[in-house]
Amino acid sequence: MSELKGFIPIDNARYITAFRAAYNQTLGDDVPFLERSILGGENTLRGYGNNRFIDSSYLVFNFEERIRLFRWEVFG
């Protein structure tokens, strides 16, 4: 599995752009079903249940914008 991910802070870290690219490929003809490339769940596609999509390979790109609405400091 190959993966590239990172964060780009903008405007004193009020806005943070997060990105991730992942690729996985399973080679061979007699690979067990659950050893194949799997999409879905908390690590790849959060909107779908675990093991939702299963095939011999996958390529995923995720981009999201995170915005800090307020900051609360306690004890200094």
Side-chain angles (χ1 to χ4, degrees):
M1 179 172 152
S2 298
E3 182 176 44
L4 173 69
K5 59 184 171 180
F7 303 98
I8 302 171
I10 303 170
D11 190 24
N12 199 18
R14 180 162 193 261
Y15 302 97
I16 298 176
T17 301
F19 64 89
R20 177 178 179 238
Y23 174 74
N24 191 12
Q25 183 175 16
T26 306
L27 301 174
D29 294 331
D30 297 326
V31 178
F33 185 72
L34 289 177
E35 293 295 324
R36 293 179 164 268
S37 298
I38 298 173
L39 281 175
E42 60 203 31
N43 295 325
T44 53
L45 294 175
R46 290 184 238 180
Y48 297 93
N50 288 334
N51 305 335
R52 176 65 171 95
F53 303 102
I54 299 176
D55 203 352
S56 60
S57 62
Y58 69 73
L59 177 63
V60 174
F61 295 103
N62 293 339
F63 294 95
E64 60 186 64
E65 189 69 23
R66 300 173 182 178
I67 302 171
R68 185 180 69 219
L69 297 177
F70 61 90
R71 187 174 188 166
W72 185 29
E73 284 190 35
V74 179
F75 303 116

